[in-house]
Amino acid sequence: MTDPQLVLTERVQAALGAAFGADFADADPLIRPSQFADFQANVALSLAKRLRRAPREVAQAIADELRDFPGTVEVSGPGFLNITLADGWIAERAAETLADPRLGVGVAAPAQTIVIDYSAPNAAKEMHVGHLRTTIVGDALARVHEHLGNQVVRQNHLGDWGTPFGMLIEHLLDVGEEQAVAQLEAGEGTPFYQAARAKFDGDDDFKRRARERVTTLQSGDPETLRLWHVFMDATIRYFNKVYAMLGVTLTDDDIAGESMYNPMLATVCDDLEAAGVAVVSEGALCVFPPGFTGSDDKPLPLIIRKSDGGYGYATTDLAAIRYRVHDLKADRILYVVGADQALHFQMVFAAARLAGWLPETVSAEHVQIGMMLGADGRRFKTRSGESVKLMDLLDEAVERASAAIAARGYDEETQAEISQAVGMGAVKYADLSVSHDSEYIFDFDRMLAFTGNTAPYLQYAAARVRSIFRKGGIDPETATGPIVLGEPAERALALQLLGFGAVVQQVADASEPHRLCGFLFDTATAFTGFYEKCPVLRDDVPAETRASRLALCALTLKVLETGLGLLGVQVPSRM
Ligand code: ARG
């Protein structure tokens, strides 16, 4: 373990046990970064009452037990403990981290099976920006869990079934298969849907055909299923273009759309009814999970079979949860889905628990995704008020990135590589760097800025470290130290780098990629401070200092590259 905050927590807990008895050994020492030292521990203030002693006295008793601590511990103010780590201790841990191929990141023991439900666009419409964030956040979580050694099962819960497919298939026949496929593959799903919808609303004959088509689709008519596949395959080819552009790890093997659960829905309803979990109310089959009430204080139903016999979104999700626990053997299921679906998931989870399909040993978590807003603070739309086509947005990001670096005089190939990495990196990082449940304003200028907590800033920082090695003709792998800390900026950088393992674990535990973003930003900032104060390759730098600084550069580079990799942000080879 290298993370100073974790090491200190353990040490201070041991001191608490030694000073006040075993009952106190698991109190939270409340270690926080401090302005006056590396860290402060505030535990004496919180324990004073329980111990019936003055806080400063409690603090002193803890400090006395920390005599052998590698660093200094001082009592200050009303009873804070100011803790400063010894340079030698930091240097040793930094060297250990550099020698560790995992850079201080642990391995999950035991490994868990983590099902991650993310992206999940609706095929009956065009994939829109709202799905961008769930795709990007979900993909980062998948990468982090895999890196920790967990078994990740990606599930792309496509909206690929239901009544709209009647009119979509009829419209496909009207347009002609070939023509329709070309349109869908090009990402024209929204106009395709709108055209079908307009006919459905305005043309009675079309409406009748569409309705009949729903029935033949439900009954499994082979020709209708073939047409459904034609529609879906073309749509998925477009989704795959978007995934490829974004560098998202989803593949066709991860598709587990609503249609997949269709054959299970009748059984889901029968089983729930037989178990007494679902009851018929006003003709519909419903589950009333305890604790959910509507505005009128009446129990809120989760409808699983409508009075016309049709199944809904909730029925599919109940089938999915049963499948994920029973067949996929999930230990943990993450639903990376819009925050507006919070009630739906709470009720589905509660119903699944009632049914015994979601045992207490399995956790189901809704990773709520906040809405993406336009500069006007309203739901993100084009100027004419339409929803924005995702691919256009991504193309624009790359174009803007390209314009931003145009003056640097790269050859064409390098220019293209950097624009792609910076453009996509910027879009993805902007989504990841704010907490996933808060709304966020989509702003090209801000996400593409080369300063601040942005992808370009971090990519540039990594490129700058690389260029040090390139200029020196040195392979970063050979920069192994030893590390000796002299300058404050060296010390600050080394201390910062020790926190990598802990932050990756936090991202996995709390499903919060923005913590890793914040950490990488702090790392890049610490590196900038180091780079300004501490020459590395200059002739007058003594050999040992140079070796130590190169080792710090190598560790910085590895942490930045690994960290950005976990976020799915590419690092261009130069910048
Ligand atoms: N297709 C849905 C939508 O766009 C999201 C599906 C999320 N996953 C789930 N298991 N319900 O709103």
Side-chain angles (χ1 to χ4, degrees), residues 117 120-122 131 157 159 258 313 317 324 335 337 341 344-345:
D117 178 326
N122 298 315
H131 293 110
H157 194 90
E258 293 180 12
Y313 189 51
D317 260 323
R324 289 165 184 183
Y335 292 80
V337 187
Q341 296 188 29
H344 164 77
F345 284 112

Side-chain angles (χ1 to χ4, degrees), residues 298-506:
K298 281 210 202 115
L300 211 56
L302 185 69
I303 300 176
I304 57 173
R305 195 181 59 218
K306 288 176 268 184
S307 50
D308 67 3
Y311 307 112
Y313 189 51
T315 329
T316 307
D317 260 323
L318 283 168
I321 214 165
R322 177 146 85 160
Y323 168 77
R324 289 165 184 183
V325 173
H326 185 266
D327 297 286
L328 298 180
K329 309 258 180 285
D331 294 305
R332 210 176 151 189
I333 315 175
L334 306 179
Y335 292 80
V336 189
V337 187
D340 54 349
Q341 296 188 29
L343 182 62
H344 164 77
F345 284 112
Q346 281 167 20
M347 293 184 78
V348 166
F349 298 163
R353 296 240 185 251
L354 279 181
W357 297 351
L358 183 62
E360 289 305 327
T361 49
V362 178
S363 82
E365 300 158 42
H366 179 194
V367 181
Q368 302 190 20
I369 300 298
M371 213 202 293
M372 188 141 106
L373 306 175
D376 57 358
R378 318 249 304 257
R379 195 185 262 273
F380 193 78
K381 293 253 161 78
T382 59
R383 231 170 262 149
S384 54
E386 285 154 41
S387 68
V388 177
K389 190 168 144 192
L390 195 45
M391 201 57 158
D392 290 349
L393 195 78
L394 301 182
D395 284 336
E396 184 174 347
V398 175
E399 273 162 36
R400 283 177 180 252
S402 184
I405 58 163
R408 299 190 185 186
Y410 296 116
D411 61 82
E412 210 174 300
E413 200 180 316
T414 312
Q415 168 85 13
E417 186 213 332
I418 301 176
S419 314
Q420 176 72 23
V422 169
M424 284 310 90
V427 170
K428 294 175 86 172
Y429 193 86
D431 263 339
L432 293 165
S433 59
V434 288
S435 74
H436 60 72
D437 54 350
S438 58
E439 295 181 334
Y440 110 92
I441 293 180
F442 191 93
D443 179 348
F444 271 128
D445 290 331
R446 204 171 47 196
M447 66 177 73
L448 282 161
F450 279 75
T451 53
N453 190 9
T454 65
Y457 176 68
L458 293 176
Q459 290 168 319
Y460 182 66
R464 208 162 41 168
V465 189
R466 269 196 201 152
S467 81
I468 295 174
F469 287 103
R470 199 164 33 228
K471 268 190 217 139
I474 301 158
D475 175 358
E477 292 303 322
T478 63
T480 51
I483 295 175
V484 191
L485 302 174
E487 293 292 322
E490 292 173 314
R491 186 183 184 283
L493 176 60
L495 186 58
Q496 167 66 21
L497 289 164
L498 300 186
F500 185 54
V503 82
V504 172
Q505 188 60 49
Q506 275 176 20

